[in-house]
Amino acid sequence: EYGGYVRLATLLKEERAAAARQGRTVVTLDGGDFSMGALFQTIYTTDAPELRALGAMGYDVTTLGNHEFDYRQQGLADMLNAAKGSGDPLPEIVQANYTQPLEHDSGYAVVQALENYPVTDYTIVERDGLRVAVFGVLGQDAHDYAPMSGMAMEPIADAARRVVAELRDKYDPDYIICLSHSGTDGAGKGEDYGLAKAVDGIDVIISGHTHSTLTEPLEVNGTLIVSCGEYTQNLGVLTVSKEDGQVVPVEYRLVPVNEDVAWDPDMTAMAESFQQTVDESYLSGYGLTFHQVLCQNPYGFTPISQFGAVQEEDPLGNLIADSYIYAVEQAEGADYVPVDFAVVASGVIRASLAQGDITVSDAFEVSSLGSGADGTPGYPLVGVYITGRELKDAFEVDASVTPLMSAAQLYGSGMKWSFNVHRMIFDKVTHSAQVLPDGTEIPIRDDQLYRVVTGLYSGQMLGTVNNKSFGLLTITPRDENGEPIENLEEYIIRTPVGAELKEWYALASYLQSMGTVDGRYAAAEGRKRVSHSWNPVELLRSPGWPTLVVLAVVVLVLALAAVLVVRRLRSSRRQKVYHV
């Protein structure tokens, strides 16, 4: 077990008490994405439980991550207003580059809420004679992962230069700290590396978004970059001092938030109160409750910390994809249009399933992101059509784009595909086929339309995937007549009563229908086969145009080299004849 504010609250009290005994000043900071991932988010817009929990735990400052925009501008506005209206202690929110709507009229509500809270570029925390300045930014990649935010983004380096200059001029703080929801890869790359290199005067960057776990602070251009990982697995503790105006790390620790940590009574009471609200206001509409057991799971699925790390088929991905087909068939009933391919991307799978009882809460956490066109929590499923040619491009996305963008790894139902990781990029797939319900495999026809079901967010992110392939792979959602779709929300799948069919509920209903997780999910089934062979025959079999282009270039280079060698030999011969 790991995570949970009920445990985090205990550790925060312990760390503050220890710091007080050592005479150290403490500020408590959060790097954004505080609001999504659990059933509590279903009352995000009405009760703001996560922000109020941060306040109850004594957080001084947080910033906005991309997931704070999962319920769009209006959802963020409602959450901020609910938090402010609660009267509870709240952390300050800083955001210097992501508070301007693209369209002012439609963004009026969020602008008003940002001002009312207020959300500011920066804040000054004065404590024990120290003046600590804290500002926040949101990076380009995080912006790309918020396709429905409707916000304009100022480059983070531009915003940081502006804020640091103003802080120095007006306040001359002892420390300047940036809460950057931008990220690093932990190995010398990422937007926060670039930020530290580009902007002088930032003492510490608390780096979020990329789920990186840095076991030691990274020092770049006099700036310390730290990140304690995702899902509240660790509490990061950084102690710094100043020597000749330069920040110096004194101590850095990652404190595990695990089953060894006792639950804080006050935070437990707060959680139980919010759970009751979730039952009454959200889950009652599904005839479910927070801790209701859906089924028994005898299998050990891949832990979420390792999920998607390797290009391979995964039983959890298979289970989720299969649940989409089951749920669509149940929802459409007599009007069911067969689903040829159901697909889920690793980037939207936010939790795994442990052995033992699987509860409603567990199922929700697996597919916990976002909201639909109706504004209710949870991304809905959409049903669209793509051509067979585009299906093959989707498999190539899985094979070729995943190394560039791990969130693009795909898990599917109704199709199978094979690829070799060592083949030429965008030409890695070696075989694909449709798998009928009876197990029969048939070839995929390039010009045929196939019905595909996936989540709304995954559909919205197709443009990003296309960009990652430099436009060489294209997947265009279409209607049943093959015409391109302009608004995916018009193709949301609905239940018989007209409600959106949510991703999480598809999984929950499928699990409940089984009672015990089926044995087919004990191991991979061969839906996706990944080869690591360097066999030349396999690398060059059925080459596509990327491989043919490279081969042509190689042949041309070899031919030119041969011509140069021949000319050199002829020249040498003539020189020898002359000297004789």
Side-chain angles (χ1 to χ4, degrees):
E1 294 183 4
Y2 63 87
Y5 283 177
V6 293
R7 295 188 178 107
L8 181 61
T10 297
L11 290 177
L12 285 169
K13 290 179 179 178
E14 293 175 355
E15 291 293 335
R16 290 181 186 128
R21 290 193 296 269
Q22 297 168 349
R24 294 177 173 178
T25 299
V26 175
V27 291
T28 309
L29 307 172
D30 176 83
D33 275 2
F34 53 78
S35 58
M36 295 293 149
L39 268 169
F40 296 106
Q41 76 187 56
T42 61
I43 55 173
Y44 171 78
T45 60
T46 56
D47 294 79
E50 303 93 346
L51 198 53
R52 290 164 65 187
L54 290 180
M57 289 186 289
Y59 272 80
D60 294 298
V61 194
T62 186
T63 190
L64 300 177
N66 51 291
H67 286 299
E68 271 68 73
F69 292 89
D70 276 4
Y71 293 171
R72 313 184 191 198
Q73 288 181 3
Q74 188 63 54
L76 175 62
D78 291 342
M79 185 276 291
L80 293 173
N81 291 332
K84 185 75 171 180
S86 71
D88 287 354
L90 300 170
E92 294 189 73
I93 300 178
V94 290
Q95 176 49 256
N97 75 318
Y98 206 68
T99 55
Q100 295 301 315
L102 291 171
E103 298 181 16
H104 185 73
D105 290 342
S106 63
Y108 177 73
V110 75
V111 169
Q112 190 174 49
L114 292 168
E115 293 175 352
N116 181 55
Y117 185 85
V119 175
T120 57
D121 287 1
Y122 60 82
T123 188
I124 306 295
V125 179
E126 296 195 57
R127 189 166 296 155
D128 302 332
L130 284 177
R131 182 176 292 172
V132 180
V134 185
F135 72 98
V137 292
L138 183 143
Q140 180 63 53
D141 192 67
H143 171 65
D144 290 343
Y145 276 86
M148 302 302 289
S149 73
M151 305 297 281
M153 194 199 84
E154 179 186 5
I156 59 175
D158 294 349
R161 287 192 196 94
R162 168 174 51 79
V163 170
V164 169
E166 184 172 334
L167 288 170
R168 285 173 168 171
D169 181 57
K170 290 185 176 181
Y171 301 98
D172 189 27
D174 297 289
Y175 294 94
I176 297 177
I177 299 176
C178 175
L179 305 182
S180 179
H181 200 78
S182 305
T184 72
D185 67 353
K189 296 181 180 179
E191 292 181 72
D192 283 330
Y193 290 102
L195 175 61
K197 289 178 181 178
V199 182
D200 296 332
I202 303 174
D203 293 307
V204 178
I205 294 176
I206 309 294
S207 179
H209 179 59
T210 51
H211 296 194
S212 301
T213 302
L214 299 178
T215 56
E216 296 291 338
L218 301 170
E219 187 170 350
V220 181
N221 188 29
T223 298
L224 299 177
I225 303 175
V226 293
S227 184
C228 62
E230 74 276 27
Y231 306 135
T232 322
Q233 292 189 44
N234 299 294
L235 170 63
V237 182
L238 172 69
T239 304
V240 296
S241 65
K242 279 284 183 75
E243 294 181 8
D244 299 324
Q246 179 64 48
V247 66
V248 177
V250 176
E251 181 186 28
Y252 179 66
R253 291 180 289 118
L254 298 182
V255 184
V257 185
N258 59 27
E259 67 273 11
D260 296 330
V261 181
W263 289 19
D264 178 77
D266 293 336
M267 188 53 58
T268 300
M270 189 177 202
E272 290 174 348
S273 174
F274 284 136
Q275 285 171 5
Q276 183 176 349
T277 304
V278 169
D279 279 344
E280 295 171 353
S281 65
Y282 183 72
L283 289 178
S284 62
Y286 294 92
L288 301 170
T289 59
F290 203 102
H291 296 298
Q292 179 180 339
V293 175
L294 295 170
C295 72
Q296 300 294 316
N297 177 30
Y299 309 112
F301 288 113
T302 306
I304 193 59
S305 60
Q306 302 170 25
F307 187 82
V310 179
Q311 280 186 282
E312 61 184 5
E313 180 183 346
D314 192 284
L316 178 60
N318 292 349
L319 172 66
I320 296 169
D322 287 349
S323 76
Y324 291 177
I325 294 181
Y326 168 83
V328 171
E329 188 170 5
Q330 296 298 307
E332 293 182 345
D335 297 323
Y336 174 62
V337 177
V339 176
D340 299 308
F341 185 43
V343 61
V344 59
S346 63
V348 301
I349 299 174
R350 313 302 283 188
S352 187
L353 296 171
Q355 288 179 289
D357 292 346
I358 298 179
T359 66
V360 172
S361 177
D362 296 329
F364 184 89
E365 289 176 8
V366 172
S367 301
S368 56
L369 297 182
S371 66
D374 62 359
T376 64
Y379 282 122
L381 295 176
V382 294
V384 299
Y385 291 83
I386 63 176
T387 66
R389 177 66 264 171
E390 290 168 328
L391 260 180
K392 294 175 182 178
D393 276 357
F395 305 145
E396 196 62 64
V397 165
D398 181 52
S400 291
V401 177
T402 294
L404 307 174
M405 179 182 176
S406 61
Q409 181 160 192
L410 303 179
Y411 309 96
S413 179
M415 299 282 170
K416 66 187 307 182
W417 62 99
S418 305
F419 60 87
N420 186 316
V421 298
H422 298 309
R423 282 173 63 101
M424 188 63 57
I425 189 170
F426 308 132
D427 191 21
K428 295 182 182 291
V429 176
T430 55
H431 174 74
S432 60
Q434 183 178 7
V435 182
L436 301 180
D438 63 2
T440 303
E441 295 182 23
I442 59 175
I444 296 172
R445 294 175 52 188
D446 287 356
D447 58 350
Q448 181 175 321
L449 288 174
Y450 294 85
R451 192 185 189 204
V452 176
V453 167
T454 191
L456 175 63
Y457 181 79
S458 296
Q460 292 168 338
M461 290 301 295
L462 284 177
T464 299
V465 171
N466 292 343
N467 292 337
K468 291 290 184 180
S469 70
F470 312 106
L472 299 176
L473 304 175
T474 57
I475 305 169
T476 303
R478 305 170 187 275
D479 63 20
E480 64 274 15
N481 298 314
E483 296 298 319
I485 290 172
E486 294 184 4
N487 184 4
L488 272 177
E489 293 181 353
E490 295 178 358
Y491 295 83
I492 291 172
I493 296 170
R494 298 184 179 276
T495 67
V497 297
E500 294 183 349
L501 179 59
K502 304 292 187 178
E503 288 179 303
W504 78 265
Y505 183 69
L507 177 60
S509 61
Y510 185 51
L511 291 168
Q512 192 172 35
S513 73
M514 288 188 287
T516 299
V517 175
D518 193 273
R520 67 182 302 188
Y521 303 112
E525 294 184 307
R527 302 185 189 189
K528 177 165 63 173
R529 297 187 182 277
V530 184
S531 171
H532 296 264
S533 172
W534 286 101
N535 186 319
V537 175
E538 185 174 331
L539 295 179
L540 298 175
R541 180 189 297 125
S542 302
W545 68 263
T547 301
L548 291 174
V549 168
V550 172
L551 288 175
V553 171
V554 171
V555 170
L556 179 61
V557 169
L558 290 175
L560 289 173
V563 170
L564 292 174
V565 169
V566 170
R567 287 182 176 178
R568 180 66 176 173
L569 290 173
R570 288 176 177 174
S571 175
S572 298
R573 288 172 182 170
R574 283 195 296 268
Q575 290 175 7
K576 288 179 180 179
V577 171
Y578 174 80
H579 287 298
V580 171

